[in-house]
Tab-separated table of all heavy atoms in Angstrom:
chain	number	residue	atom	x	y	z
A	278	GLN	N	15.933	-0.223	19.528
A	278	GLN	CA	15.352	-1.496	19.106
A	278	GLN	C	16.412	-2.502	18.661
A	278	GLN	O	16.179	-3.706	18.691
A	278	GLN	CB	14.361	-1.244	17.965
A	278	GLN	CG	13.160	-0.418	18.381
A	278	GLN	CD	12.398	0.125	17.186
A	278	GLN	OE1	12.906	0.924	16.408
A	278	GLN	NE2	11.158	-0.334	17.031
A	279	LEU	N	17.559	-2.002	18.235
A	279	LEU	CA	18.652	-2.834	17.748
A	279	LEU	C	19.946	-2.355	18.393
A	279	LEU	O	20.220	-1.156	18.428
A	279	LEU	CB	18.753	-2.717	16.219
A	279	LEU	CG	19.975	-3.320	15.537
A	279	LEU	CD1	19.927	-4.850	15.598
A	279	LEU	CD2	20.053	-2.857	14.071
A	280	SER	N	20.753	-3.287	18.914
A	280	SER	CA	22.047	-2.929	19.487
A	280	SER	C	23.150	-3.113	18.448
A	280	SER	O	23.285	-4.201	17.878
A	280	SER	CB	22.357	-3.801	20.711
A	280	SER	OG	21.549	-3.443	21.803
A	281	GLY	N	23.918	-2.037	18.220
A	281	GLY	CA	25.081	-2.125	17.348
A	281	GLY	C	26.346	-2.112	18.194
A	281	GLY	O	26.474	-1.284	19.104
A	282	PHE	N	27.283	-3.016	17.906
A	282	PHE	CA	28.517	-3.082	18.681
A	282	PHE	C	29.742	-2.883	17.786
A	282	PHE	O	29.861	-3.512	16.727
A	282	PHE	CB	28.628	-4.414	19.424
A	282	PHE	CG	27.733	-4.486	20.626
A	282	PHE	CD1	26.501	-5.121	20.555
A	282	PHE	CD2	28.098	-3.877	21.816
A	282	PHE	CE1	25.661	-5.168	21.656
A	282	PHE	CE2	27.257	-3.913	22.922
A	282	PHE	CZ	26.041	-4.554	22.843
A	283	ASN	N	30.628	-2.002	18.233
A	283	ASN	CA	31.904	-1.767	17.581
A	283	ASN	C	32.953	-2.578	18.326
A	283	ASN	O	33.228	-2.311	19.499
A	283	ASN	CB	32.270	-0.283	17.621
A	283	ASN	CG	31.214	0.593	16.973
A	283	ASN	OD1	30.360	0.114	16.228
A	283	ASN	ND2	31.261	1.883	17.250
A	284	ILE	N	33.539	-3.563	17.669
A	284	ILE	CA	34.451	-4.484	18.355
A	284	ILE	C	35.766	-4.588	17.587
A	284	ILE	O	35.776	-4.731	16.362
A	284	ILE	CB	33.795	-5.870	18.545
A	284	ILE	CG1	34.745	-6.823	19.267
A	284	ILE	CG2	33.286	-6.458	17.239
A	284	ILE	CD1	34.081	-8.095	19.760
A	285	TYR	N	36.863	-4.520	18.330
A	285	TYR	CA	38.194	-4.550	17.725
A	285	TYR	C	39.099	-5.550	18.444
A	285	TYR	O	40.301	-5.326	18.587
A	285	TYR	CB	38.809	-3.143	17.743
A	285	TYR	CG	38.085	-2.184	16.832
A	285	TYR	CD1	37.052	-1.381	17.312
A	285	TYR	CD2	38.398	-2.092	15.479
A	285	TYR	CE1	36.369	-0.512	16.478
A	285	TYR	CE2	37.716	-1.218	14.641
A	285	TYR	CZ	36.712	-0.435	15.148
A	285	TYR	OH	36.028	0.433	14.312
A	286	GLU	N	38.530	-6.673	18.874
A	286	GLU	CA	39.342	-7.732	19.478
A	286	GLU	C	40.389	-8.184	18.459
A	286	GLU	O	40.079	-8.505	17.320
A	286	GLU	CB	38.464	-8.930	19.863
A	286	GLU	CG	37.445	-8.640	20.948
A	286	GLU	CD	38.071	-8.616	22.344
A	286	GLU	OE1	39.317	-8.650	22.444
A	286	GLU	OE2	37.303	-8.553	23.321
A	287	GLY	N	41.646	-8.191	18.885
A	287	GLY	CA	42.709	-8.578	17.969
A	287	GLY	C	43.371	-7.406	17.279
A	287	GLY	O	44.334	-7.586	16.532
A	288	TRP	N	42.868	-6.202	17.543
A	288	TRP	CA	43.556	-5.020	17.024
A	288	TRP	C	44.027	-4.132	18.175
A	288	TRP	O	45.204	-4.107	18.515
A	288	TRP	CB	42.696	-4.234	16.041
A	288	TRP	CG	43.456	-3.047	15.472
A	288	TRP	CD1	43.162	-1.726	15.625
A	288	TRP	CD2	44.662	-3.082	14.698
A	288	TRP	NE1	44.099	-0.934	15.001
A	288	TRP	CE2	45.040	-1.742	14.416
A	288	TRP	CE3	45.472	-4.120	14.217
A	288	TRP	CZ2	46.176	-1.410	13.688
A	288	TRP	CZ3	46.607	-3.787	13.474
A	288	TRP	CH2	46.946	-2.457	13.227
A	289	TYR	N	43.093	-3.442	18.827
A	289	TYR	CA	43.501	-2.587	19.942
A	289	TYR	C	43.929	-3.403	21.157
A	289	TYR	O	44.744	-2.953	21.961
A	289	TYR	CB	42.368	-1.633	20.319
A	289	TYR	CG	42.087	-0.589	19.257
A	289	TYR	CD1	40.842	-0.509	18.652
A	289	TYR	CD2	43.081	0.298	18.853
A	289	TYR	CE1	40.592	0.442	17.666
A	289	TYR	CE2	42.833	1.245	17.870
A	289	TYR	CZ	41.585	1.313	17.285
A	289	TYR	OH	41.338	2.239	16.312
A	290	SER	N	43.374	-4.612	21.297
A	290	SER	CA	43.728	-5.479	22.418
A	290	SER	C	43.255	-6.889	22.096
A	290	SER	O	42.502	-7.111	21.146
A	290	SER	CB	43.073	-4.984	23.719
A	290	SER	OG	41.659	-5.042	23.605
A	291	GLY	N	43.714	-7.836	22.909
A	291	GLY	CA	43.183	-9.184	22.823
A	291	GLY	C	43.588	-9.938	21.572
A	291	GLY	O	44.547	-9.602	20.883
A	292	SER	N	42.800	-10.965	21.271
A	292	SER	CA	43.051	-11.854	20.140
A	292	SER	C	41.866	-11.836	19.191
A	292	SER	O	40.717	-11.643	19.614
A	292	SER	CB	43.269	-13.281	20.654
A	292	SER	OG	43.128	-14.229	19.625
A	293	VAL	N	42.129	-12.063	17.922
A	293	VAL	CA	41.035	-12.103	16.941
A	293	VAL	C	40.021	-13.185	17.303
A	293	VAL	O	38.822	-13.048	17.027
A	293	VAL	CB	41.565	-12.342	15.508
A	293	VAL	CG1	42.375	-11.162	15.021
A	293	VAL	CG2	42.381	-13.628	15.426
A	294	ASN	N	40.486	-14.251	17.951
A	294	ASN	CA	39.590	-15.362	18.272
A	294	ASN	C	38.672	-15.065	19.450
A	294	ASN	O	37.797	-15.868	19.777
A	294	ASN	CB	40.418	-16.617	18.543
A	294	ASN	CG	41.183	-17.066	17.306
A	294	ASN	OD1	40.648	-17.055	16.201
A	294	ASN	ND2	42.443	-17.434	17.477
A	295	ALA	N	38.867	-13.895	20.094
A	295	ALA	CA	37.979	-13.500	21.196
A	295	ALA	C	36.707	-12.830	20.691
A	295	ALA	O	35.797	-12.549	21.486
A	295	ALA	CB	38.720	-12.563	22.144
A	296	PHE	N	36.620	-12.567	19.399
A	296	PHE	CA	35.456	-11.876	18.823
A	296	PHE	C	34.159	-12.611	19.144
A	296	PHE	O	33.240	-12.062	19.750
A	296	PHE	CB	35.659	-11.743	17.314
A	296	PHE	CG	34.433	-11.382	16.527
A	296	PHE	CD1	33.647	-10.292	16.886
A	296	PHE	CD2	34.065	-12.113	15.411
A	296	PHE	CE1	32.513	-9.951	16.155
A	296	PHE	CE2	32.945	-11.779	14.677
A	296	PHE	CZ	32.163	-10.701	15.051
A	297	LYS	N	34.085	-13.883	18.764
A	297	LYS	CA	32.846	-14.635	18.969
A	297	LYS	C	32.521	-14.777	20.455
A	297	LYS	O	31.362	-14.633	20.865
A	297	LYS	CB	32.949	-16.013	18.320
A	297	LYS	CG	31.678	-16.850	18.458
A	297	LYS	CD	31.798	-18.190	17.744
A	297	LYS	CE	30.503	-18.970	17.812
A	297	LYS	NZ	30.083	-19.292	19.191
A	298	THR	N	33.530	-15.043	21.271
A	298	THR	CA	33.310	-15.206	22.709
A	298	THR	C	32.707	-13.941	23.322
A	298	THR	O	31.767	-14.001	24.118
A	298	THR	CB	34.636	-15.542	23.413
A	298	THR	OG1	35.186	-16.724	22.834
A	298	THR	CG2	34.422	-15.754	24.905
A	299	THR	N	33.247	-12.788	22.918
A	299	THR	CA	32.767	-11.508	23.449
A	299	THR	C	31.310	-11.264	23.068
A	299	THR	O	30.479	-10.897	23.907
A	299	THR	CB	33.648	-10.358	22.935
A	299	THR	OG1	34.995	-10.571	23.358
A	299	THR	CG2	33.156	-9.016	23.467
A	300	ILE	N	30.975	-11.467	21.804
A	300	ILE	CA	29.611	-11.202	21.331
A	300	ILE	C	28.643	-12.261	21.851
A	300	ILE	O	27.489	-11.953	22.195
A	300	ILE	CB	29.578	-11.111	19.797
A	300	ILE	CG1	30.505	-9.983	19.312
A	300	ILE	CG2	28.159	-10.858	19.310
A	300	ILE	CD1	30.174	-8.617	19.864
A	301	ASP	N	29.083	-13.519	21.945
A	301	ASP	CA	28.232	-14.562	22.530
A	301	ASP	C	27.837	-14.204	23.959
A	301	ASP	O	26.685	-14.398	24.372
A	301	ASP	CB	28.968	-15.905	22.531
A	301	ASP	CG	28.924	-16.616	21.181
A	301	ASP	OD1	28.146	-16.173	20.309
A	301	ASP	OD2	29.659	-17.599	21.007
A	302	THR	N	28.797	-13.672	24.718
A	302	THR	CA	28.523	-13.294	26.105
A	302	THR	C	27.479	-12.189	26.182
A	302	THR	O	26.555	-12.234	27.005
A	302	THR	CB	29.825	-12.843	26.795
A	302	THR	OG1	30.773	-13.914	26.766
A	302	THR	CG2	29.561	-12.438	28.239
A	303	ILE	N	27.613	-11.192	25.301
A	303	ILE	CA	26.624	-10.104	25.251
A	303	ILE	C	25.242	-10.657	24.903
A	303	ILE	O	24.229	-10.288	25.507
A	303	ILE	CB	27.062	-9.035	24.225
A	303	ILE	CG1	28.326	-8.312	24.718
A	303	ILE	CG2	25.941	-8.034	23.968
A	303	ILE	CD1	28.941	-7.383	23.698
A	304	HIS	N	25.201	-11.582	23.948
A	304	HIS	CA	23.926	-12.165	23.522
A	304	HIS	C	23.285	-12.969	24.655
A	304	HIS	O	22.058	-12.897	24.873
A	304	HIS	CB	24.167	-13.052	22.310
A	304	HIS	CG	22.939	-13.776	21.824
A	304	HIS	ND1	21.773	-13.128	21.489
A	304	HIS	CD2	22.704	-15.103	21.620
A	304	HIS	CE1	20.872	-14.008	21.094
A	304	HIS	NE2	21.413	-15.220	21.185
A	305	LEU	N	24.079	-13.725	25.396
A	305	LEU	CA	23.544	-14.529	26.497
A	305	LEU	C	22.984	-13.652	27.607
A	305	LEU	O	21.985	-13.994	28.245
A	305	LEU	CB	24.639	-15.444	27.042
A	305	LEU	CG	25.016	-16.637	26.150
A	305	LEU	CD1	26.260	-17.337	26.696
A	305	LEU	CD2	23.860	-17.618	26.038
A	306	LYS	N	23.603	-12.508	27.847
A	306	LYS	CA	23.133	-11.595	28.886
A	306	LYS	C	21.893	-10.820	28.455
A	306	LYS	O	21.116	-10.362	29.299
A	306	LYS	CB	24.244	-10.609	29.248
A	306	LYS	CG	25.405	-11.230	30.022
A	306	LYS	CD	26.446	-10.169	30.364
A	306	LYS	CE	27.594	-10.749	31.185
A	306	LYS	NZ	28.623	-9.717	31.483
Side-chain angles (χ1 to χ4, degrees):
Q278 295 165 296
L279 170 70
S280 288
F282 285 98
N283 302 343
I284 180 167
Y285 292 93
E286 295 282 9
W288 182 244
Y289 292 120
S290 63
S292 163
V293 293
N294 296 318
F296 165 51
K297 182 177 184 299
T298 303
T299 300
I300 301 302
D301 279 349
T302 301
I303 292 172
H304 177 55
L305 287 171
K306 289 181 178 178

